[in-house]
Amino acid sequence: MRSYRGIKTMLAPMLLIVLLASASCDSAAPEQSGPNDDQPISSGIRIVGLNCSPSFDRQTAEEKRVHDRILEQTGADVRIVFSDGGSGGPCRSKRAAMLSSGEQLDFAELSITEAVQAFNEGLLLPLNDLLDRYGTHLKKNVVPEAFKLATYEGNILGIPIENGLHTLSALQIRADWLAKLQLPLPRTIDEFEQVLKAFKEQDPDGNGKMDTVPLTVSSGGTFNMLEGVLGSSFLPQGYAWWQDADGKLKPPELHPAYKPFLAKLASWNEKGYLWSDLLLSAADKQQELIADNRAGAVAATFSGTIVNAGEVLRKSVPDYNYVPVVLEGEQGLNRLPVSPIAYSVWVIYKKNASPETVMKFFDYQATYEGNMLTSFGIEGDNYTATPDGMVEFISEDKTNLAKAHYYAKYKTVFINWPGKPVWPVNTWTFAEYNLKREQVNRLPRFEPIDYGVYYDTTKWQSYPKLGALNDYLNEQKVRVLNGEIRVDSWDGIMARWLEMGGSQMIDDRNKQYAASVSPKVSR
């Protein structure tokens, strides 16, 4: 069982698809009407999968050609169903409806935690034997660590979707503003606080107004994003669960160093260093603040200063430059939590038309030929590629994803191909993704104590109380941050949290943790 505290569900289940699906399919003309009428009848074995990104459904003749090429190579008549409301809740609802109604659903994407729960419910087919028989390319090209993370009690739950990032989120600082103010890139919390003061008072954007924001968030995060990014500079195990002297796992909020950390953030808020709308902001407003050339330092995912933000900012400030850093603190671990090589997997359900055919379809994508076909279509007809793997579309706009006649409809397996860019479309945005990935992958990182442990919270006695416990803790943090209550009240707040069910939740987590590291568990 494995879990990753601090990796937000809004960023899962698959980071790569979220980043690649930044455009809608507004220019594609439907070939036929109806949700699946564009997919032809064939002599292959029909398999059905659920895709959570409806923008990939272009309903063009090119999709039919890709479908037929897959059929020729694998014998799979692949049919893709899309959730009407996109990823997240709508896709989970669509998946549940298909399974409960008996509608054919052979494969789907689940977070690894969801896969553990589905396996415990008896819904999934372990893939060990299928991989041995039909997964030659998968076993060769998917990194072993990804398969290890996709394994639960000796059972391979699904084909892991590789993540190209060693750490997902970081603090990013406007280096061009630092240069303008003749300030070095800060190395410590104290130096960073001086930078925040300068960003607030010295007009780094040069518009003659006191309207810059020293510190904010992006990527749809709020206070928890600040904790995840800055906690490593204040806490000896970062913003992760830690072990006390008796070996018991406890949440970071119960560590003695958490209260000084919260006090520092409250102090910064009182001084006006934090964005006044930070706690109530949504992703679009966060991106707008960056695009308006107002944000000095941003706690965000690696792409949080690029998509829908830097894309706009570069038009007015071409040389803007956010640099990711890890700040050193006296009490801190001063490293960021490592991101798992896989967050989610493509599973095969027990009730299945042909598990062998699904595995052959997956395995074909673990060849570079199959990877490029399912990602971009037919080379020479749908796209051209440079020797280093960069792609341009053959359409009215060669770099616009929305105008591509085919893009990623049949894509399931994601592999970080050695020597190839993770994001290969020849656009400014994807070039920035690749650059930022290199920068954040160089930052110091660590594995939390329970890294690689999946917790099936549905089996916890505290499960019905988890929502209330989380809401209470977040509410109290906001009150402290805003100065409504004193930081000295934190011990009492945590005592109340323990009484509400937090103590039981800690026991539940420790019980599953102990079981997961027991030598009796086969891996």
Side-chain angles (χ1 to χ4, degrees):
M1 295 177 288
R2 302 182 173 97
S3 177
Y4 304 97
R5 194 181 195 281
I7 298 172
K8 304 300 183 286
T9 56
M10 64 184 178
L11 298 173
M14 184 163 57
L15 175 66
L16 297 180
I17 277 187
V18 171
L19 294 173
L20 293 177
S22 60
S24 63
C25 49
D26 57 343
S27 64
E31 181 193 14
Q32 301 178 28
S33 62
N36 289 303
D37 290 343
D38 62 305
Q39 302 191 57
I41 298 173
S42 75
S43 59
I45 298 176
R46 173 183 169 128
I47 58 174
V48 177
L50 177 64
N51 191 316
C52 295
S53 300
S55 67
F56 295 160
D57 188 16
R58 308 296 166 90
Q59 298 188 1
T60 62
E62 298 306 315
E63 290 182 337
K64 178 182 181 300
R65 295 183 65 198
V66 172
H67 168 278
D68 292 347
R69 183 69 62 87
I70 294 170
L71 176 62
E72 292 172 3
Q73 296 295 323
T74 67
D77 173 16
V78 185
R79 308 298 179 100
I80 300 296
V81 177
F82 293 89
S83 60
D84 295 336
S87 59
C91 197
R92 287 192 293 270
S93 297
K94 178 68 173 179
R95 183 174 67 231
M98 293 180 71
L99 292 171
S100 63
S101 68
E103 183 178 353
Q104 182 179 354
L105 179 61
D106 302 299
F107 60 96
E109 180 195 346
L110 302 180
S111 71
I112 299 181
T113 299
E114 290 174 326
V116 168
Q117 294 171 353
F119 178 82
N120 286 334
E121 293 170 7
L123 298 176
L124 303 187
L125 188 68
L127 303 188
N128 306 56
D129 292 340
L130 285 170
L131 275 165
D132 287 341
R133 295 170 63 191
Y134 305 106
T136 302
H137 298 101
L138 287 164
K139 294 177 70 174
K140 176 183 177 182
N141 293 322
V142 174
V143 296
E145 175 65 14
F147 272 123
K148 181 179 179 182
L149 292 177
T151 300
Y152 170 67
E153 296 184 347
N155 300 287
I156 299 175
L157 301 182
I159 305 303
I161 298 169
E162 287 189 13
N163 163 39
L165 298 160
H166 297 327
T167 185
L168 179 61
S169 302
L171 179 69
Q172 301 184 44
I173 303 176
R174 282 285 294 269
D176 55 314
W177 280 11
L178 292 174
K180 181 177 180 180
L181 300 179
Q182 298 183 335
L183 295 171
L185 189 70
R187 297 180 300 102
T188 68
I189 289 294
D190 290 341
E191 291 174 356
F192 179 58
E193 187 162 357
Q194 293 304 309
V195 166
L196 294 177
K197 185 175 188 295
F199 281 174
K200 182 178 188 297
E201 298 175 354
Q202 296 183 30
D203 189 26
D205 62 350
N207 68 353
K209 302 176 182 178
M210 297 282 287
D211 62 349
T212 51
V213 173
L215 177 59
T216 184
V217 296
S218 187
S219 310
T222 53
F223 186 72
N224 294 125
M225 181 66 80
L226 285 180
E227 290 177 307
V229 166
L230 293 172
S232 294
S233 304
F234 290 85
L235 299 163
Q237 276 299 315
Y239 187 64
W241 282 58
W242 55 285
Q243 282 182 312
D244 65 12
D246 296 325
K248 190 171 188 177
L249 293 177
K250 290 184 176 179
E253 291 86 357
L254 279 175
H255 196 281
Y258 182 80
K259 190 160 58 172
F261 172 38
L262 188 58
K264 177 61 73 172
L265 294 179
S267 170
W268 287 352
N269 192 43
E270 184 179 8
K271 294 175 180 177
Y273 297 163
L274 301 186
W275 185 30
S276 59
D277 292 336
L278 183 149
L279 296 173
L280 300 176
S281 63
D284 59 339
K285 293 299 181 183
Q286 296 165 5
Q287 293 161 349
E288 184 179 314
L289 186 73
I290 297 170
D292 286 345
N293 194 32
R294 294 180 56 206
V298 183
T301 63
F302 85 108
S303 62
T305 56
I306 300 172
V307 62
N308 297 326
E311 296 165 328
V312 179
L313 176 57
R314 64 188 285 256
K315 296 177 183 178
S316 58
V317 187
D319 60 347
Y320 92 93
N321 184 21
Y322 280 101
V323 175
V325 298
V326 175
L327 300 171
E328 297 177 8
E330 294 181 2
Q331 301 293 324
L333 181 64
N334 304 323
R335 287 178 283 164
L336 294 171
V338 66
S339 295
I341 190 62
Y343 294 101
S344 56
V345 291
W346 283 93
V347 302
I348 299 179
Y349 288 102
K350 278 187 176 179
K351 187 177 180 180
N352 191 287
S354 175
E356 298 85 0
T357 304
V358 177
M359 185 58 69
K360 290 177 182 178
F361 168 57
F362 287 163
D363 192 63
Y364 175 58
Q365 295 177 72
T367 67
Y368 195 66
E369 170 195 348
N371 162 71
M372 295 301 285
L373 176 70
T374 53
S375 297
F376 305 111
I378 299 172
E379 186 172 9
D381 292 339
N382 303 133
Y383 74 93
T384 59
T386 62
D388 60 354
M390 297 303 289
V391 167
E392 292 183 348
F393 298 112
I394 299 175
S395 67
E396 60 187 280
D397 189 329
K398 62 183 180 181
T399 61
N400 189 332
L401 297 178
K403 298 184 183 300
H405 298 151
Y406 173 86
Y407 181 62
K409 179 172 183 175
Y410 295 101
K411 184 68 174 172
T412 56
V413 176
F414 277 79
I415 293 173
N416 298 322
W417 296 94
K420 302 293 184 181
V422 173
W423 295 280
V425 181
N426 192 22
T427 66
W428 177 88
T429 299
F430 279 20
E432 285 296 301
Y433 284 165
N434 290 317
L435 173 61
K436 197 68 69 178
R437 171 179 177 261
E438 292 178 4
Q439 292 175 337
V440 298
N441 279 354
R442 290 196 294 264
L443 296 176
R445 55 190 180 273
F446 76 101
E447 289 187 359
I449 291 170
D450 56 351
Y451 173 85
V453 177
Y454 291 133
Y455 298 104
D456 188 349
T457 58
T458 61
K459 294 185 175 182
W460 291 5
Q461 292 184 40
S462 59
Y463 178 69
K465 299 180 180 180
L466 294 182
L469 287 169
N470 185 65
D471 290 343
Y472 173 77
L473 211 53
N474 286 337
E475 289 168 1
Q476 300 310 307
K477 291 175 183 179
V478 169
R479 294 182 67 195
V480 173
L481 187 70
N482 287 335
E484 297 177 27
I485 55 178
R486 294 172 56 86
V487 177
D488 292 343
S489 304
W490 191 249
D491 292 340
I493 289 170
M494 292 309 299
R496 170 62 179 149
W497 180 82
L498 291 169
E499 294 173 357
M500 290 173 57
S503 180
Q504 180 62 59
M505 188 264 274
I506 291 173
D507 289 342
D508 290 335
R509 188 180 180 110
N510 276 272
K511 182 178 180 180
Q512 286 194 351
Y513 172 74
S516 75
V517 299
S518 168
K520 297 179 181 180
V521 177
S522 174
R523 291 294 181 213

